[in-house]
Structure formats: structure tokens, C-alpha cells
Amino acid sequence: MATIRDVASEAGVSVATVSRVLNGKGYVNENTRKAVEAAIRKLAYKPNEVARSLYHHQSKLIGLVIPDITNPFFPEIARGVEDFFQEEGYHVMIGNSDESREKEVNYIEAFSQHNVMGIISTSSDDISQWAGLDIPVVLLDRIQDDFPSVCADQEAGGKLAAQILLERGSRNITLMRGPHHLRTAQERFLAALTELGRSSARFQVLNTAFSYHHALETAKQLFDCYPDTDGIIAANDMVAAAVLREALARGKKIPDGLQIIGFDDIPISQLVYPALSTIHQPAYEMGMEAAKLLLECMHQQTNLKKKIKLSIAFKDRETTRKEGG
């Protein structure tokens, strides 16, 4: 790889002159500038971004923290973030926190050491680690009053899931509640709970984590405790897939005897059999919108408190009865 000294030698100028051309600072004769630019093209020289960021205390780096890289919902969000910033000339550093506050703090420190220009977090609702930063932070699929955020309409999603099960004949419904510490999970849970409470249907609540492995145990617990349940609103699609697997293993007839609705619409929801009916969250678009919002904050050099809420939609597949059926 060519170095800045190679460029200077090729152009017949000093390293300082090449540096002025690269940084667009200081006077450089037009003919000298053209000679340097020609040398850069000939040698295919690329500046050392890390060194430049240390010098300018800025970089073309963005930090992204996700809570669980094994959940396909979050890589889809990351694609949206990365695609947007790539077009803008930035690079995205991704950290997987595994729902650990300690790991999240470690990533924040690593991002700071690399002089990232902003951070997007889909991880914790605990904002204490963000409060002391002097760079913009945008929360994605998470909500806090003091920070800009992007999420899907959780309340509408929870309400819609309950309405569909009720309209399509379920009368003994299990509502699976996601992690208590996540505001988004609780918003959709409470919306579904309110809708079920207004109906004459019987219902019960079962707590669960979002991960597939934990959901497998919860699914067994569900059918052990509520063997007659005929409708399930899962906390997310990973949980719904675990419930579907256990239901089929126990000989449940889906959707005639048991209806299941997931949440997220990750790719696997179309690959399982029967295909999973679910509430679609526009993960890729959420990532794009969060990236746009972060760039806006970076340019304004302030943490806007804008809240962006995207619409959800029901994906009617094979784990719910057909409307009017």
C-alpha cells in the first residue's frame, strides 16, 4: 500500500504539501495540487483514516450497539444503518452487547477511543451510560424521553394482534410478555392486554425473554400450564417459532385448534411450517431512519429530541384462520 511519503516523492513535493491537499487546508499552488492529485490516483493512495481521526479528533466512523446478533431482526436493522452511512461516506462499527450492560459500556468506551462521530443503540433502555457523552446518540427500537429515537408503533401492533385473534375466534388466549425493562416490549404488551380486557375472552399472561433458547423452555411451560389455550400472542417471532415447534410436537392443529401471532416479521417467519402470521416491523427502514436522524444530529451538533414512529402491518400467513372463516 502506498504511503503519504510515496505520494510526496511521486509528485516531487513535501509530505506537508500532500497533507494540505488531502485536508483542504492551507495554500497550495494549483499546478502543485494537480500534481499531488495525479500521484494519488496513480498510486491508488488511501489516507489512514485512524491517524487522521486522531489528529482532527473526528472520524468517518459510526458506532452501532445491538443486543442480540443471533436474532435476525437486528442484523436487518444494522443493514439499514450501514447502507445509509455507506452512501454518506461513513463506516459503521457494530458491537453485540448480548443484553449485557457491562458489554455495552465496554463498546461505548471502544467507540469513544476510535473517535466515532455518533452512536446508534438498539440495546439497553438504561440511558445512564449515554448521558455523559459529548457525541450524538440515537436510540433505535428503544424509547427514552431525553434522546432522539426511532421505533415502530408498538401500541398499534399489540392492539392489532389481539383484535385479530378475537375476530378469528380465539377465546382462551395466552399473552406472552417480553422483557420488563424494555419499554417497547411493554407498550405492545399493555396494548394487547387492554384489548383483551375489553373482550369476553379468557386470557392469561406468561413472561418470556426474547431469545429462542429461553423461549423453548417457556413454550413447554405454556402448554403445561395452559393446555387448552387456543390463541397465542408471542413476544416476538423467535418466541413464536419456539411456541410453534412445541405446539406441533404436542399434536396441536394449527390454525384450526390453535392460532399464533408473532411480532417483527423476521425472514424465518416465512420459512417455518406452517408460515407464521405476524406483526411486521419495518426493520430495514427503521435502521435507515435512525441513520438519517443521527446524521441530522451530527450536523446540528446537538442531541435533538425528535421521535420517529413507523407504521406496523399484519402479515396474514398460516398460523391464523382466514378472515371470516
Side-chain angles (χ1 to χ4, degrees):
M1 293 179 63
T3 68
I4 192 170
R5 294 184 183 278
D6 296 330
V7 174
S9 177
E10 177 69 26
V13 299
S14 68
V15 170
T17 299
V18 176
S19 180
R20 285 198 295 272
V21 172
L22 289 171
N23 294 315
K25 294 182 178 180
Y27 173 77
V28 179
N29 177 276
E30 187 61 27
N31 290 334
T32 301
R33 183 183 302 278
K34 289 180 179 179
V36 171
E37 291 172 348
I40 289 172
R41 287 192 296 271
K42 179 180 178 180
L43 299 175
Y45 171 70
K46 296 185 182 300
N48 186 323
E49 291 294 342
V50 173
R52 295 181 74 189
S53 71
L54 290 172
Y55 179 78
H56 295 287
H57 299 290
Q58 281 190 331
S59 69
K60 300 291 281 186
L61 298 174
I62 302 297
L64 171 62
V65 184
I66 59 176
D68 182 6
I69 203 168
T70 66
N71 183 338
F73 177 70
F74 294 107
E76 189 69 7
I77 278 181
R79 279 189 61 241
V81 173
E82 187 175 41
D83 285 355
F84 175 83
F85 275 119
Q86 190 172 46
E87 289 293 319
E88 297 292 329
Y90 292 82
H91 300 286
V92 178
M93 300 173 64
I94 300 177
N96 173 47
S97 72
D98 283 326
E99 300 280 9
S100 164
R101 187 180 184 280
E102 182 180 357
K103 285 188 69 174
E104 185 171 4
V105 170
N106 288 339
Y107 278 121
I108 294 168
E109 292 175 353
F111 292 158
S112 297
Q113 290 168 6
H114 284 81
N115 294 311
V116 298
M117 298 184 70
I119 295 176
I120 296 174
S121 175
T122 66
S123 193
S124 173
D125 268 355
D126 180 0
I127 64 170
S128 59
Q129 61 264 41
W130 308 114
L133 296 179
D134 57 0
I135 56 174
V137 175
V138 169
L139 302 183
L140 176 51
D141 194 42
R142 302 291 183 262
I143 306 168
Q144 283 292 343
D145 295 336
D146 294 331
F147 286 89
S149 63
V150 176
C151 67
D153 193 336
Q154 304 297 313
E155 292 181 358
K159 180 178 180 180
L160 183 57
Q163 287 176 336
I164 288 167
L165 284 190
L166 292 169
E167 290 170 359
R168 301 189 184 187
S170 289
R171 290 295 176 265
N172 186 356
I173 297 170
T174 300
L175 176 57
M176 303 187 76
R177 181 181 190 176
H180 291 62
H181 65 280
L182 295 181
R183 183 167 161 182
T184 47
Q186 295 315 301
E187 283 190 355
R188 62 191 188 229
F189 162 73
L190 291 172
L193 184 69
T194 300
E195 198 65 23
L196 293 176
R198 291 171 178 161
S199 73
S200 59
R202 178 183 174 186
F203 66 91
Q204 48 275 332
V205 173
L206 188 64
N207 294 325
T208 182
F210 277 157
S211 68
Y212 179 77
H213 295 295
H214 186 277
L216 285 172
E217 293 303 315
T218 307
K220 293 176 182 178
Q221 179 187 353
L222 189 160
F223 291 113
D224 287 342
C225 295
Y226 311 113
D228 297 326
T229 189
D230 65 358
I232 296 170
I233 301 173
N236 67 3
D237 285 346
M238 299 287 280
V239 174
V243 168
L244 177 60
R245 179 182 184 277
E246 185 65 21
L248 293 173
R250 297 192 183 213
K252 300 286 184 180
K253 302 299 181 184
I254 299 171
D256 294 339
L258 173 65
Q259 300 189 94
I260 303 170
I261 295 180
F263 208 104
D264 287 342
D265 193 24
I266 60 177
I268 198 174
S269 64
Q270 299 181 64
L271 299 178
V272 295
Y273 182 80
L276 184 65
S277 296
T278 187
I279 303 297
H280 171 80
Q281 290 199 89
Y284 182 83
E285 291 77 7
M286 289 165 65
M288 290 281 285
E289 288 297 326
K292 291 177 187 177
L293 182 54
L294 181 61
L295 189 64
E296 184 180 348
C297 292
M298 287 158 50
H299 285 167
Q300 294 199 14
Q301 296 184 331
T302 183
N303 241 347
L304 304 174
K305 294 187 179 180
K306 183 184 292 185
K307 312 295 181 192
I308 297 175
K309 187 177 290 187
L310 302 184
S311 298
I312 52 85
F314 176 58
K315 295 297 181 179
D316 194 353
R317 298 194 180 108
E318 298 170 348
T319 58
T320 47
R321 300 166 201 144
K322 294 310 170 188
E323 190 173 7

